Amino acid sequence: MQLEIGKIYTGKVKGITQYGAFVDIDGGGNGMVHISEIANTFVNEIRDHLTEGQDVRAKVIGINEAGKVSLSIKKAVDSDAPQDKPQRAAQPRERRSKPNVWEPKKAVPQSEMTFEDMMSHFKQSSEERIGDLKRSTDRKNGTRRK
C-alpha cells in the first residue's frame, strides 16, 4: 500500500526510542513519529504518552527520498476535532471594516504590576538607556559616523 502525505492512518506502536516512536501502519508500511509530533504539550518522556503495542492514529506529514515516512499523532488528533470557531469568509483588504493597525500596549499602573513585570520593565528601560549612552559616547569619540 502506498502511503500519501496528508492522509490519516491507523497503526500500532512497534518501538519507542528517546527521540520518537516507530509505528507499523495497518495495510502495510511503517514510519516514525518524532517526539515533537506526539502531543500538543511538551513531551519529556515518550513512554508517558505511548506504549508498545498501542493502537494510534497518525497523519503522514512527509516522505523523504529514501522512503522514510514521518508521522504526526498530534496533527491527526487536531484534524479530527471539530472546529469551535466558524470559518471567516475571505474579504479583500479594502473592504475590511477595521484596518489592521498596530497599537501600542496600554501602560499598566505600577500598583497593578507583578514583580516580574516591574523587573522586565526595568531591564528594558535600562538597556535602552545604555544603548543611548553608548551611541552618544561613540559619536563624541569619533568611532561612529553619523
Side-chain angles (χ1 to χ4, degrees):
M1 176 171 113
Q2 183 68 24
L3 300 177
E4 295 179 36
I5 295 175
K7 290 216 173 181
I8 298 173
Y9 298 94
T10 57
K12 191 173 289 245
V13 177
K14 286 297 177 187
I16 296 176
T17 65
Q18 67 184 35
Y19 55 86
F22 291 93
V23 177
D24 279 346
I25 304 294
D26 294 342
N30 56 35
M32 191 197 76
V33 181
H34 189 265
I35 190 169
S36 65
E37 294 294 330
I38 289 177
N40 285 323
T41 59
F42 177 74
V43 177
N44 189 34
E45 180 60 44
I46 296 173
R47 294 184 192 278
D48 293 341
H49 297 268
L50 297 174
T51 58
E52 289 186 23
Q54 178 181 352
D55 290 328
V56 293
R57 292 179 46 111
K59 183 175 188 175
V60 177
I61 56 173
I63 302 173
N64 70 6
E65 300 84 30
K68 293 184 178 179
V69 179
S70 297
L71 302 171
S72 173
I73 294 173
K74 72 179 183 181
K75 289 181 181 170
V77 172
D78 288 346
S79 62
D80 288 346
Q83 294 186 354
D84 296 336
K85 297 179 185 177
Q87 292 294 328
R88 206 172 89 180
Q91 295 179 353
R93 282 190 179 261
E94 301 81 45
R95 294 186 193 169
R96 288 187 183 159
S97 59
K98 194 174 187 182
N100 190 8
V101 178
W102 178 84
E103 294 179 12
K105 262 186 166 178
K106 293 184 178 163
V108 178
Q110 198 166 16
S111 61
E112 295 179 12
M113 287 181 145
T114 64
F115 179 74
E116 289 83 14
D117 292 337
M118 287 189 275
M119 287 301 293
S120 175
H121 181 70
F122 171 76
K123 181 181 174 193
Q124 181 181 2
S125 63
S126 63
E127 286 175 352
E128 289 171 358
R129 289 178 184 163
I130 289 172
D132 291 343
L133 182 63
K134 283 183 180 180
R135 279 192 294 277
S136 175
T137 55
D138 285 349
R139 287 189 200 123
K140 288 178 184 175
N141 293 339
T143 57
R144 188 174 189 180
R145 294 183 184 179
K146 291 184 181 181

